[in-house]
Amino acid sequence: MLNTYWPIAYKDPNASLSEIRYSKWYNTTRKIVVSTTMKSSGKNIEVIHNDTPQHIKQLKQEKGKAIVIFGSPMLFQSILPFDLIDEFHIILYPVILGDGIPLFKGNYNKKNFSFSTIIPLSNGEVALKCISQS
């Protein structure tokens, strides 16, 4: 879905300024997709099919900016035991759905994080930034 909408969103005459900015950022940003089914990649897209923790470890050793995971609790869970997460951001929505994929699932060794930022948003959500203590 991301790669069908965002590459051309900036061309939409009804696009908001934030959509235009995000679309342009999306088009220039390196993207690494973790997938067992995706066969091809597009502009600035690399696909990781297996050995995800090792690939993430190699990426962390490269010069450059932070690695960001967009909405993938399964990917988060798969790399958490390998001490590869330095910080994470969560937007807490005040809604209980009763179902879904939990973010913290599995049998992990204790890993301490602290809240470095807590921002209440005008729509009732809370943005949390958590930083690793190890």
Side-chain angles (χ1 to χ4, degrees), residues 29-89:
T29 298
R30 177 183 179 197
K31 293 166 279 300
I32 291 91
V33 177
V34 177
S35 173
T36 57
T37 59
M38 187 174 176
K39 301 292 181 216
S40 63
S41 60
K43 182 181 177 185
N44 296 327
I45 298 175
E46 301 167 40
V47 181
I48 297 173
H49 293 106
N50 53 36
D51 200 13
T52 303
Q54 184 59 32
H55 284 282
I56 300 295
K57 189 175 182 178
Q58 289 171 351
L59 289 169
K60 286 178 61 93
Q61 293 172 353
E62 294 178 12
K63 287 186 179 182
K65 299 194 180 205
I67 299 169
V68 178
I69 299 172
F70 284 104
S72 180
M74 291 173 64
L75 177 57
F76 184 90
Q77 292 166 11
S78 74
I79 65 173
L80 187 60
F82 297 93
D83 200 29
L84 297 171
I85 298 173
D86 301 316
E87 70 179 51
F88 61 91
H89 301 238

Side-chain angles (χ1 to χ4, degrees), residues 66 85-92 104 113-120 126-133:
I85 298 173
D86 301 316
E87 70 179 51
F88 61 91
H89 301 238
I90 296 176
I91 297 179
L92 183 62
F104 305 104
F113 285 85
S114 65
F115 294 117
S116 68
T117 308
I118 302 172
I119 302 172
V126 178
L128 307 169
K129 179 179 178 183
C130 304
I131 303 219
S132 173
Q133 297 300 299

